[in-house]
Amino acid sequence: MSDPATKARRKLALLAALAAAWILWSGHFEPLLLGLGVFSCLLTFGIVWRMGYFEKDIFALTFSLRLLAYWGWLLKEIVMSSLTVTRVVLNPRLPINCRYIELKASARGAIGQVIFANSITLTPGTLTLDLHQGELKVHALTQDTADDLMSGEMDRRVASLGEG
């Protein structure tokens, strides 16, 4: 378990993230809406606290250059996949060759496995259907998309997020 200072920092970081998300996404600064935002953030914080998330090392993923580099790489993959799906859909022959594949996540923790599953789903042309104990079931729109996932590049990048 983490020391009390680390737990306090995690709690403050969560509250700050919730408040920032509320303000950025609402875009309104009227007193009533700000009050509802504070209430919503505190309610969410209370639920998370009661669930015991601050007692576990579930927040082990930290913001680092490695995470920022991963986000950049994922954004590039999303754009490239979007172009691929657009080409497939706009092609008069509609060369869809769906595949169902199973992958094993290299990430040891639940957070890394969920990041891997969500990254697959965020990439157009792929959908994570199931994640159970590190085993993922994935639907891919084309054989090339399935091959890209089976190459392990995304898995390797996600697994490296949990290191050092």
Side-chain angles (χ1 to χ4, degrees), residues 100-110 112-114 116-117 120 128-138 155:
Y100 175 81
I101 58 175
E102 294 186 10
L103 302 170
K104 175 82 173 134
S106 299
R108 292 179 294 238
Q113 292 173 12
V114 169
F116 183 39
I120 290 170
T128 302
L129 303 170
D130 187 32
L131 168 61
H132 184 69
Q133 296 180 346
E135 299 282 333
L136 291 93
K137 295 177 182 166
V138 178
D155 182 42

Coordinates of all heavy atoms in Angstrom, one line a residue, residues 100-110 112-114 116-117 120 128-138 155:
Y100 N -12.2 -12.5 -36.4 CA -12.3 -12.5 -35.0 C -11.0 -13.1 -34.5 O -10.6 -14.2 -34.9 CB -13.5 -13.5 -34.7 CG -13.7 -13.7 -33.2 CD1 -14.4 -12.8 -32.4 CD2 -13.2 -14.9 -32.6 CE1 -14.6 -13.1 -31.1 CE2 -13.4 -15.2 -31.3 CZ -14.1 -14.3 -30.5 OH -14.3 -14.5 -29.2
I101 N -10.3 -12.4 -33.6 CA -9.1 -12.8 -33.1 C -9.0 -12.8 -31.6 O -9.8 -12.1 -31.0 CB -7.9 -12.0 -33.7 CG1 -8.0 -10.5 -33.4 CG2 -7.8 -12.2 -35.2 CD1 -6.8 -9.7 -33.8
E102 N -8.1 -13.6 -31.1 CA -7.9 -13.5 -29.6 C -6.5 -13.1 -29.4 O -5.6 -13.6 -30.0 CB -8.2 -14.9 -29.0 CG -9.7 -15.3 -29.1 CD -10.1 -16.5 -28.4 OE1 -9.3 -17.1 -27.7 OE2 -11.2 -17.0 -28.6
L103 N -6.3 -12.2 -28.4 CA -5.0 -11.7 -28.1 C -4.8 -11.9 -26.6 O -5.7 -11.9 -25.8 CB -4.9 -10.2 -28.4 CG -5.2 -9.8 -29.9 CD1 -5.3 -8.3 -30.0 CD2 -4.0 -10.3 -30.7
K104 N -3.5 -11.9 -26.2 CA -3.1 -12.0 -24.8 C -2.4 -10.6 -24.5 O -1.5 -10.2 -25.2 CB -2.2 -13.1 -24.6 CG -1.6 -13.2 -23.2 CD -2.6 -13.9 -22.2 CE -2.0 -14.1 -20.9 NZ -2.8 -13.7 -19.8
A105 N -2.9 -9.9 -23.5 CA -2.3 -8.7 -23.1 C -1.1 -8.9 -22.3 O -1.1 -9.8 -21.4 CB -3.3 -7.9 -22.2
S106 N 0.0 -8.2 -22.6 CA 1.3 -8.4 -21.9 C 1.3 -7.6 -20.6 O 2.1 -7.9 -19.7 CB 2.4 -7.9 -22.8 OG 2.5 -8.7 -23.9
A107 N 0.4 -6.5 -20.5 CA 0.4 -5.7 -19.3 C 0.0 -6.6 -18.1 O -1.0 -7.4 -18.2 CB -0.6 -4.6 -19.5
R108 N 0.7 -6.4 -17.0 CA 0.4 -7.3 -15.8 C -0.8 -6.8 -15.1 O -1.6 -7.6 -14.6 CB 1.6 -7.3 -14.9 CG 2.8 -8.0 -15.5 CD 4.0 -7.9 -14.6 NE 4.4 -6.5 -14.4 CZ 5.6 -6.1 -14.7 NH1 6.5 -6.9 -15.1 NH2 5.9 -4.8 -14.5
G109 N -1.0 -5.5 -15.0 CA -2.1 -5.0 -14.2 C -3.4 -4.8 -14.9 O -3.4 -4.7 -16.2
A110 N -4.5 -4.6 -14.2 CA -5.8 -4.4 -14.8 C -5.9 -3.1 -15.6 O -6.5 -3.1 -16.7 CB -6.9 -4.4 -13.7
G112 N -3.5 -1.5 -17.2 CA -2.8 -1.7 -18.5 C -3.6 -2.5 -19.5 O -3.7 -2.2 -20.7
Q113 N -4.3 -3.6 -19.0 CA -5.1 -4.4 -19.8 C -6.3 -3.6 -20.4 O -6.7 -3.8 -21.5 CB -5.6 -5.7 -19.1 CG -4.4 -6.6 -18.8 CD -4.8 -7.7 -17.9 OE1 -6.0 -8.0 -17.6 NE2 -3.8 -8.5 -17.3
V114 N -6.9 -2.8 -19.5 CA -8.0 -2.0 -19.9 C -7.6 -0.9 -20.9 O -8.3 -0.6 -21.9 CB -8.7 -1.4 -18.7 CG1 -9.8 -0.3 -19.1 CG2 -9.4 -2.5 -17.9
F116 N -5.2 -1.2 -23.0 CA -5.0 -2.0 -24.3 C -6.3 -2.2 -25.0 O -6.5 -2.0 -26.2 CB -4.2 -3.3 -24.0 CG -3.9 -4.1 -25.2 CD1 -3.5 -3.6 -26.4 CD2 -4.0 -5.5 -25.1 CE1 -3.2 -4.4 -27.5 CE2 -3.7 -6.3 -26.2 CZ -3.3 -5.7 -27.4
A117 N -7.3 -2.7 -24.2 CA -8.6 -3.0 -24.8 C -9.3 -1.8 -25.3 O -9.8 -1.8 -26.4 CB -9.5 -3.7 -23.7
I120 N -7.6 -0.5 -28.6 CA -8.1 -1.3 -29.7 C -9.5 -0.7 -30.2 O -9.7 -0.5 -31.4 CB -8.2 -2.8 -29.4 CG1 -6.8 -3.4 -29.2 CG2 -9.0 -3.5 -30.4 CD1 -6.8 -4.8 -28.6
T128 N -13.0 -4.3 -29.3 CA -12.7 -5.3 -28.3 C -14.1 -5.8 -27.8 O -14.9 -5.0 -27.2 CB -11.9 -4.7 -27.1 OG1 -10.7 -4.2 -27.6 CG2 -11.6 -5.8 -26.0
L129 N -14.3 -7.1 -27.9 CA -15.6 -7.7 -27.5 C -15.6 -8.1 -26.1 O -16.6 -8.1 -25.4 CB -15.9 -8.8 -28.5 CG -16.0 -8.5 -29.9 CD1 -16.1 -9.8 -30.8 CD2 -17.2 -7.6 -30.2
D130 N -14.4 -8.6 -25.6 CA -14.3 -9.1 -24.3 C -12.9 -9.0 -23.8 O -12.0 -9.2 -24.5 CB -14.8 -10.6 -24.3 CG -14.9 -11.2 -22.9 OD1 -15.3 -10.5 -21.9 OD2 -14.7 -12.4 -22.8
L131 N -12.8 -8.8 -22.5 CA -11.5 -8.8 -21.8 C -11.7 -9.6 -20.5 O -12.5 -9.2 -19.7 CB -11.0 -7.4 -21.5 CG -9.8 -7.3 -20.5 CD1 -8.6 -8.0 -21.1 CD2 -9.5 -5.8 -20.3
H132 N -11.0 -10.7 -20.4 CA -11.1 -11.5 -19.1 C -9.8 -12.1 -18.8 O -9.2 -12.8 -19.6 CB -12.1 -12.6 -19.3 CG -12.4 -13.4 -18.1 ND1 -13.0 -12.9 -17.0 CD2 -12.1 -14.7 -17.8 CE1 -13.1 -13.8 -16.1 NE2 -12.5 -14.9 -16.5
Q133 N -9.2 -11.7 -17.7 CA -7.9 -12.1 -17.2 C -6.8 -12.0 -18.2 O -6.1 -13.0 -18.4 CB -8.1 -13.6 -16.7 CG -9.0 -13.7 -15.5 CD -9.1 -15.1 -15.0 OE1 -8.8 -16.0 -15.6 NE2 -9.7 -15.2 -13.8
G134 N -6.8 -10.9 -18.9 CA -5.7 -10.6 -19.8 C -5.9 -11.2 -21.2 O -5.1 -11.0 -22.1
E135 N -7.0 -11.9 -21.4 CA -7.4 -12.5 -22.7 C -8.4 -11.5 -23.4 O -9.4 -11.3 -22.8 CB -7.9 -13.9 -22.6 CG -7.0 -14.9 -22.0 CD -6.0 -15.4 -22.9 OE1 -6.2 -15.4 -24.1 OE2 -4.9 -15.8 -22.4
L136 N -8.1 -11.1 -24.6 CA -9.0 -10.2 -25.3 C -9.6 -10.9 -26.5 O -8.9 -11.6 -27.2 CB -8.2 -9.0 -25.8 CG -7.8 -8.0 -24.8 CD1 -6.4 -8.3 -24.4 CD2 -7.9 -6.6 -25.3
K137 N -10.8 -10.7 -26.8 CA -11.5 -11.1 -28.0 C -11.8 -9.9 -28.8 O -12.5 -9.0 -28.3 CB -12.8 -11.9 -27.7 CG -12.4 -13.2 -26.9 CD -13.7 -14.0 -26.5 CE -13.2 -15.2 -25.7 NZ -14.3 -15.8 -25.0
V138 N -11.3 -9.9 -30.0 CA -11.4 -8.7 -30.8 C -12.0 -9.0 -32.2 O -11.7 -10.0 -32.8 CB -10.0 -8.1 -31.0 CG1 -10.0 -6.8 -31.9 CG2 -9.3 -7.8 -29.7
D155 N 0.3 -3.7 -28.1 CA 0.4 -4.4 -26.8 C 1.8 -4.1 -26.2 O 1.8 -3.8 -25.0 CB 0.3 -5.9 -27.0 CG 0.4 -6.7 -25.7 OD1 -0.2 -6.3 -24.7 OD2 1.1 -7.8 -25.7

